[in-house]
């Protein structure tokens, strides 16, 4: 089954404690993205990757890092989380180039206290 | 002004009603996506359009490229259609720009 998985699904943490949200896809997609979703603001892109070892900033990259060492995995790293990073996070993947369906992970609800 | 605007923001309907959700965009696009987000949070792709009209079951999506407008129609609405519907456009890159969503509630 074609899918994007994310872990954990729910996380409560404290300010400053480094965390990683994993994302994995099994469709051999080149393009992967991380989004955050906040009330009234819709989905905003944090980082994206066009392929292995190719990553770039999206619209709201401050406070986040990513890596793309393997094609299937695209982890999101918060080195020093702050309360304003409390949000619902989605990973997504698609084939690069052309017009292709987007596949989203189930979401990770992060609360930073 | 957002590049992708949806209306209405909130919509309530009685079961069986015909529903229309609108999406207007201000940028050049190569494709437009309609997505559905259920209360549990997961997002699924409903349609991907670059022209004309698509139909899947009770759902119909149309796009008018000249007017930069798309509509999502739900015929014979059902409580299980209750969800947030999100319009997203793709420009010349793989990046999507999202609307803020339309929250639909269908009551029995």
């Amino acid at each position: 089954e074609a899918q994007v998985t994310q872990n954990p699904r729910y996380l409560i943490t404290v300010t400053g404690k480094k965390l990683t949200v994993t994302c994995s896809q099994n469709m051999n997609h080149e393009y992967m993205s991380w989004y955050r979703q906040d009330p009234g603001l819709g989905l905003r892109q944090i980082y994206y990757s066009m392929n292995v070892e190719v990553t770039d900033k999206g619209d709201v990259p401050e406070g986040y890092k990513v890596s793309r060492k393997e094609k299937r995995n695209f982890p999101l790293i918060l080195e020093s989380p702050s309360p304003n990073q409390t949000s619902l996070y989605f990973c997504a993947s698609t084939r690069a180039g052309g017009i292709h369906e987007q596949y989203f992970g189930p979401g990770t609800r992060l609360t930073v206290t | 002004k957002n590049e992708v605007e949806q209306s209405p923001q909130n919509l309530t309907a009685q079961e069986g009603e015909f529903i229309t959700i609108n999406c207007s965009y201000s940028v050049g696009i190569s494709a437009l996506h309609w997505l559905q987000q259920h209360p549990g949070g997961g997002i699924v792709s409903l349609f991907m359009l670059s022209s004309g009209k698509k139909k899947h079951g009770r759902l119909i999506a149309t796009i008018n490229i000249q007017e930069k407008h798309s509509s999502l129609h739900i015929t014979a609405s059902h409580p299980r259609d209750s969800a947030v519907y999100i319009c997203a456009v793709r420009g010349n890159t793989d990046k999507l720009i999202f609307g803020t969503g339309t929250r639909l509630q269908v009551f029995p």
Side-chain angles (χ1 to χ4, degrees):
Chain A
E1 180 191 354
Q3 60 180 354
V4 179
T5 56
Q6 287 179 234
N7 282 291
R9 295 288 312 280
Y10 302 91
L11 180 58
I12 300 173
T13 190
V14 296
T15 299
K17 186 176 181 182
K18 180 179 179 180
L19 67 92
T20 299
V21 184
T22 65
C23 172
S24 184
Q25 48 93 6
N26 62 0
M27 295 164 279
N28 204 36
H29 286 164
E30 298 85 6
Y31 190 90
M32 297 185 74
S33 293
W34 275 104
Y35 300 96
R36 61 178 288 173
Q37 185 180 40
D38 302 290
L41 296 177
L43 285 148
R44 293 178 293 168
Q45 191 180 57
I46 302 169
Y47 268 94
Y48 66 96
S49 170
M50 299 288 288
N51 214 323
V52 176
E53 302 291 1
V54 181
T55 63
D56 210 344
K57 296 177 180 178
D59 299 316
V60 288
E62 294 78 21
Y64 305 93
K65 284 174 57 178
V66 293
S67 69
R68 188 92 182 270
K69 293 185 170 61
E70 304 164 285
K71 199 170 187 179
R72 63 184 293 124
N73 296 323
F74 189 44
L76 179 69
I77 303 153
L78 284 72
E79 294 270 3
S80 183
S82 62
N84 65 12
Q85 292 178 298
T86 293
S87 189
L88 180 58
Y89 292 86
F90 288 97
C91 179
S93 75
T94 186
R95 284 177 57 192
I99 301 167
H100 305 290
E101 186 171 349
Q102 299 277 327
Y103 291 82
F104 288 84
T108 295
R109 188 167 293 281
L110 172 65
T111 301
V112 183
T113 61
Chain B
K1 189 178 188 296
N2 293 336
E3 293 169 297
V4 181
E5 297 272 2
Q6 286 185 238
S7 63
Q9 286 188 305
N10 294 284
L11 185 54
T12 58
Q14 288 294 126
E15 183 172 355
E17 286 185 6
F18 181 84
I19 288 162
T20 296
I21 299 170
N22 297 297
C23 176
S24 296
Y25 52 92
S26 57
V27 295
I29 70 167
S30 58
L32 183 143
H33 297 255
W34 280 104
L35 309 168
Q36 181 190 55
Q37 184 174 22
H38 273 283
I43 298 172
V44 296
S45 177
L46 296 175
F47 293 104
M48 190 170 56
L49 294 161
S50 55
S51 65
K53 176 179 176 179
K54 286 192 176 180
K55 184 175 191 290
H56 181 66
R58 295 180 295 105
L59 273 59
I60 303 165
T62 63
I63 188 168
N64 185 318
I65 297 291
Q66 287 72 32
E67 295 186 3
K68 295 188 174 178
H69 182 268
S70 175
S71 293
L72 177 68
H73 306 287
I74 305 175
T75 62
S77 59
H78 190 276
R80 65 174 174 265
D81 297 325
S82 298
V84 175
Y85 292 85
I86 301 169
C87 171
V89 300
R90 179 188 183 277
N92 294 323
T93 68
D94 292 306
K95 179 182 177 180
L96 291 182
I97 305 169
F98 297 84
T100 54
T102 295
R103 184 175 300 276
L104 170 66
Q105 288 183 293
V106 182
F107 294 99

